[in-house]
Amino acid sequence: MFKENSEPVKCPLKGPFTFTYNRGHGECKNPISNIESCTEDSRLLLSFQACPDVPGTESTVEELTCLATWKDGNARYLVGLVTHHHATSNEERYRCFVYEKIQPSMGGASKDAEYKLAQSGDATCNGLESAEVGSRIMTLRKAQPTERCDFPTWFKGPKHWHALMGNAGYVFHPSDGSMHILKQSGYMETRALCEQINKQTEDEMQAVVHYTTGCKSGFMCMIFYRRDTYVAEIQMGKPASRVEDACALDHFDTSKIPHVTLLATNASPDKCLMDGSYRIRGRIGPPYMSSRHKRGHAHHHHDTYHRRHGTLSFRNSEESEQLWQSAGRSLSPRHRRAISQEIEIVEDPVGTGTDIEVRSKRDSPGCTINYNSNRRLRIGCTRHDVIDMTPSCSDEGDEEYLCHGQWQENSTTFIVAKHVGSSHGVCITFKQNPDGATGNLIVGDSCFRSNPNQLTPSDRHLVSNITSFSTCSDTSSSIATQINVFSIVFCVLLSSFFASR
């Protein structure tokens, strides 16, 4: 009696095996049958071959899910759920097996054999007392190791990679040379082994891999691209049943297959390309990121780099706070609040890149973050590996990223960075316009490239327009000028305040 809907258990036998089988009419030896392990250790895939000279044999594939194991004397038992096209009821699906390890001996059918496995003819273990008697007897031999190629050394080094979109991990296992593709939950979805290398250079390799997804297996063409020390990209083709078909154009067309951008788990921050300060119109965070990290909430070790220079006022400027403390200690708290509510120095109010305006806060509409208006994008200015973006009127609500790798390709610059607040990875793609002064910035969870199937970015990408504003050193000079102007204005207002008393 077997319990339905039982939780699977780890199978006691792990493939690959080759085997012969006998259903009572003779042993089917040629062609040889085989057993492969699935990605879950509770499932096995049995591929039976038909022998023309043996009645009752047929070419079929059966999937075995292991449900229970136990030992009774010298016999070891396994209960499993067998799935195949003939099985339509539980009576036909549930089967009992008894197996035993065979010691190799000289001569005879058992030479080099490892296991004998007997299968019941119904959904019971009745009469199944040894591996020599059963409805079907199988003789299993461990498959001979296949000489395989190897994945690139630079890919194997970090061992752990993850896709920027966060939906998959890619892990190299040195024990068997396999690559495991994991879901976000950590569940292994696909196991891949290098089968054949078609082309290889220092930073690129095209290969055919043998993949197993669940209990399905086949061949697939892949290209591995090394973009930077901790950044890689891959392209994966369509599944094929034969090695020679995997990289054929109908299975693998590089102009139509998307790139998957990978970042090594142990990646460390790196110097950003395109350092400077820019004007930007639009977001740079991908659409699926609902929260933006505020610089004031950054980790402690970033604090020294996070000085707010966008708006100089008593509320949020370290420099103005120091001026207030040194020049206005004698004022009462009420008078200090009154003055802080009166003035505000606004950088570049008309978008010229040079003007500074002092205006009354009472007349100011306040700082509303408008992603369709010009904002400041600073690359490598606050720190060589930091990208940050703020509205022109305030540093509140800004976005900050750490660069981890970059490269240039066909006059396009790609920067892979990680959002400081959420740790989401993004690829920033920049292509300069023919005028040399403006360009398009595309941000998403993969590096966008225009191809015949996708001429414009998808809804997982955001497009912004940027113009060059200044170098980082020019920005620092502008900030110093603003502080000096603020000091003068503050002294004038302070004098006016005391004169009116």
Side-chain angles (χ1 to χ4, degrees):
M1 184 178 294
F2 303 139
K3 180 182 177 182
E4 292 186 29
N5 303 319
S6 299
E7 285 294 323
V9 300
K10 183 178 179 180
C11 291
L13 304 174
K14 183 178 180 180
F17 291 100
T18 59
F19 70 92
T20 61
Y21 67 98
N22 190 331
R23 296 181 63 92
H25 303 286
E27 191 168 20
C28 179
K29 298 180 179 180
N30 188 22
I32 198 76
S33 301
N34 64 81
I35 296 176
E36 294 285 346
S37 292
C38 303
T39 50
E40 302 98 329
D41 59 11
S42 60
R43 298 162 71 193
L44 294 170
L45 192 68
L46 291 75
S47 299
F48 292 87
Q49 300 296 330
C51 293
D53 57 338
V54 180
T57 62
E58 64 174 329
S59 180
T60 185
V61 176
E62 298 182 4
E63 183 181 314
L64 172 63
T65 302
C66 301
L67 300 178
T69 61
W70 71 93
K71 184 179 179 182
D72 186 2
N74 293 327
R76 297 179 182 272
Y77 287 87
L78 163 67
V79 169
L81 189 67
V82 179
T83 305
H84 56 88
H85 65 278
H86 290 314
T88 58
S89 66
N90 286 338
E91 178 65 29
E92 295 171 321
R93 293 189 185 100
Y94 284 94
R95 287 294 181 265
C96 187
F97 300 84
V98 61
Y99 63 96
E100 62 183 47
K101 189 174 179 67
I102 301 173
Q103 297 299 327
S105 60
M106 297 301 293
S110 62
K111 184 181 180 181
D112 298 327
E114 293 200 5
Y115 292 96
K116 269 288 180 68
L117 183 70
Q119 178 181 327
S120 66
D122 57 20
T124 71
C125 294
N126 296 337
L128 204 62
E129 298 179 356
S130 77
E132 298 290 340
V133 179
S135 172
R136 183 164 59 186
I137 310 296
M138 290 172 274
T139 304
L140 280 58
R141 295 175 176 84
K142 200 68 177 175
Q144 294 298 316
T146 304
E147 187 173 343
R148 297 186 180 276
C149 52
D150 212 353
F151 291 111
T153 303
W154 55 263
F155 185 83
K156 297 187 299 181
K159 293 185 182 179
H160 295 263
W161 300 79
H162 64 269
L164 291 186
M165 62 184 67
N167 64 341
Y170 295 75
V171 181
F172 175 75
H173 286 256
S175 58
D176 61 356
S178 65
M179 178 182 69
H180 293 184
I181 302 177
L182 310 178
K183 290 185 177 180
Q184 194 171 12
S185 61
Y187 170 79
M188 182 172 65
E189 184 177 33
T190 300
R191 179 177 60 244
L193 291 162
C194 185
E195 186 75 21
Q196 171 185 295
I197 296 177
N198 293 345
K199 181 180 67 175
Q200 187 169 20
T201 64
E202 184 179 356
D203 296 322
E204 182 179 327
M205 185 181 91
Q206 184 190 79
V208 178
V209 300
H210 179 269
Y211 76 92
T212 303
T213 300
C215 283
K216 295 181 179 179
S217 62
F219 300 95
M220 184 182 294
C221 193
M222 292 185 67
I223 297 184
F224 297 80
Y225 302 94
R226 184 187 189 186
R227 300 307 190 190
D228 209 332
T229 305
Y230 299 107
V231 178
E233 288 191 302
I234 58 174
Q235 286 182 291
M236 297 184 289
K238 299 176 183 178
S241 57
R242 302 191 308 165
V243 173
E244 51 267 34
D245 295 334
C247 291
L249 192 61
D250 57 339
H251 284 82
F252 192 72
D253 186 347
T254 55
S255 66
K256 298 179 180 179
I257 297 173
H259 291 71
V260 179
T261 308
L262 306 179
L263 181 63
T265 304
N266 63 339
S268 56
D270 194 12
K271 184 181 185 300
C272 303
L273 291 177
M274 295 173 53
D275 56 309
S277 182
Y278 304 85
R279 288 292 181 190
I280 182 169
R281 188 184 296 272
R283 294 178 182 267
I284 70 168
Y288 57 85
M289 285 170 48
S290 58
S291 62
R292 295 190 312 277
H293 178 62
K294 293 187 177 182
R295 197 182 309 169
H297 297 163
H299 297 296
H300 176 72
H301 66 276
H302 292 313
D303 288 347
T304 55
Y305 301 98
H306 297 163
R307 301 187 181 277
R308 300 177 176 184
H309 301 307
T311 301
L312 298 182
S313 71
F314 292 119
R315 290 175 302 168
N316 61 2
S317 171
E318 294 175 1
E319 292 81 6
S320 59
E321 182 67 20
Q322 292 170 0
L323 288 171
W324 169 260
Q325 291 174 356
S326 61
R329 286 192 180 94
S330 60
L331 297 180
S332 68
R334 181 174 61 85
H335 288 148
R336 292 178 189 175
R337 287 195 301 270
I339 292 180
S340 70
Q341 292 168 1
E342 288 294 323
I343 66 169
E344 184 177 36
I345 294 183
V346 182
E347 176 193 356
D348 191 17
V350 294
T352 61
T354 56
D355 294 340
I356 297 174
E357 178 182 300
V358 181
R359 68 187 182 194
S360 169
K361 287 186 181 178
R362 291 178 179 177
D363 299 329
S364 172
C367 183
T368 301
I369 300 174
N370 183 355
Y371 297 105
N372 291 320
S373 64
N374 281 322
R375 295 197 293 163
R376 290 176 303 153
L377 174 68
R378 295 182 294 186
I379 302 179
C381 292
T382 56
R383 206 172 79 182
H384 73 282
D385 56 3
V386 169
I387 297 174
D388 63 277
M389 186 165 70
T390 65
S392 295
C393 57
S394 172
D395 279 347
E396 292 298 321
D398 60 0
E399 297 161 3
E400 185 175 293
Y401 299 81
L402 287 176
C403 298
H404 288 284
Q406 48 262 311
W407 72 98
Q408 291 181 320
E409 178 185 323
N410 298 327
S411 71
T412 301
T413 299
F414 298 93
I415 301 176
V416 172
K418 190 180 288 186
H419 190 259
V420 172
S422 64
S423 294
H424 281 297
V426 296
C427 183
I428 301 172
T429 305
F430 174 71
K431 189 172 182 64
Q432 198 171 44
N433 292 330
D435 60 14
T438 61
N440 290 326
L441 199 72
I442 302 174
V443 181
D445 51 23
S446 62
C447 297
F448 175 75
R449 295 170 178 84
S450 178
N451 62 59
N453 284 348
Q454 188 177 352
L455 298 176
T456 58
S458 69
D459 57 0
R460 295 188 68 84
H461 292 83
L462 292 171
V463 181
S464 300
N465 297 320
I466 70 170
T467 57
S468 180
F469 175 53
S470 63
T471 64
C472 292
S473 58
D474 290 341
T475 304
S476 300
S477 301
S478 173
I479 292 167
T481 302
Q482 294 177 45
I483 295 173
N484 291 334
V485 172
F486 177 83
S487 302
I488 296 170
V489 174
F490 178 75
C491 291
V492 170
L493 289 175
L494 198 61
S495 299
S496 300
F497 175 78
F498 284 113
S500 64
R501 294 186 64 183

